[in-house]
Amino acid sequence: MVSGPSDGKKMPVPIKLLIAGGFGVGKTTMVGAVSEIKPLRTEETLTDRSVGVDDLSGVESKNTTTVAMDFGRISIGDDFVLYLFGTPGQERFWFVWDELARGALGAVVLADTRRLADCFPSVDYFERRGTPFIVAVNCFDDAPRYDLDEVKLALNLGPDIPVLLCDARRRDSGKEVLIALVQHAYGRRPMAKV
């Protein structure tokens, strides 16, 4: 807890987390499923102007896209508040990522086994920045199922990067992913000397 106003009440510790991944992987869905507030969404309708720019392979029925970010919040008791920022998935909006990533404790990289290569840019981004991250495989109904070790191998992840299954539509599943991320990120932080 952080010291609050002079009335002696403690303010919850804010924790900023990112939800990243390729286009149509479920970032907006996950933020909306777990947020305790109505999420802020910056979605716009896909138009014919995106033909040849946005690859809809595997997500042909998708008709909107995030153009800046999604935002949600989860309180953990009176001690912590998680601020969730969903990144845009298309390359043409990646310029927003540096601003969103500033001050983040860590990131969830959502993966879709139908289009696993789409999460490589997210993995590369967080590896370059030294930002702790985990990979959560979003279990779409029609997606092939793979052993998590196979996914880790396919993404060329180090042994210290957690990979888990999730259903971005389900609040409890999303919360488990966020807990795993916070535990992973805090586990990677250097211990303070006493």
Side-chain angles (χ1 to χ4, degrees):
M1 303 254 318
V2 176
S3 294
S6 60
D7 64 5
K9 290 187 179 181
K10 298 284 187 177
M11 301 293 293
V13 174
I15 300 174
K16 182 179 184 180
L17 302 175
L18 300 180
I19 312 297
F23 177 60
V25 77
K27 300 174 297 291
T28 298
T29 300
M30 183 176 197
V31 171
V34 300
S35 182
E36 67 191 16
I37 62 170
K38 181 178 179 185
L40 169 69
R41 293 187 170 138
T42 59
E43 287 200 309
E44 292 294 332
T45 303
L46 288 169
T47 66
D48 58 352
R49 296 186 75 185
S50 70
V51 173
V53 176
D54 297 325
D55 182 6
L56 296 177
S57 301
V59 288
E60 291 83 1
S61 63
K62 185 167 177 57
N63 58 13
T64 61
T65 187
T66 300
V67 296
M69 67 176 184
D70 299 308
F71 175 77
R73 183 187 75 207
I74 303 173
S75 297
I76 301 177
D78 294 330
D79 297 326
F80 301 98
V81 176
L82 304 182
Y83 293 105
L84 310 175
F85 291 83
T87 64
Q90 297 109 301
E91 185 175 351
R92 62 189 162 125
F93 299 121
W94 286 353
F95 66 91
V96 176
W97 283 41
D98 287 338
E99 290 299 321
L100 292 177
R102 189 169 288 121
L105 176 69
V108 173
V109 175
L110 278 178
D112 177 352
T113 59
R114 299 169 299 180
R115 299 172 293 121
L116 201 55
D118 289 358
C119 69
F120 275 119
S122 300
V123 168
D124 291 344
Y125 180 84
F126 297 120
E127 285 180 338
R128 279 194 318 273
R129 286 184 64 92
T131 302
F133 70 94
I134 65 171
V135 174
V137 178
N138 193 4
C139 297
F140 288 92
D141 294 334
D142 61 342
R145 304 282 191 243
Y146 295 97
D147 182 77
L148 294 178
D149 287 333
E150 291 178 289
V151 173
K152 185 176 269 207
L153 182 63
L155 293 175
N156 196 29
L157 298 173
D160 61 324
I161 306 297
V163 179
L164 52 148
L165 299 174
C166 77
D167 182 339
R169 301 167 295 186
R170 292 184 34 234
R171 179 178 175 83
D172 59 331
S173 182
K175 286 171 69 173
E176 289 173 16
V177 167
L178 297 174
I179 289 167
L181 170 59
V182 171
Q183 289 173 336
H184 172 67
Y186 274 117
R188 287 191 32 170
R189 295 181 108 182
M191 296 301 286
K193 292 186 179 183
V194 180

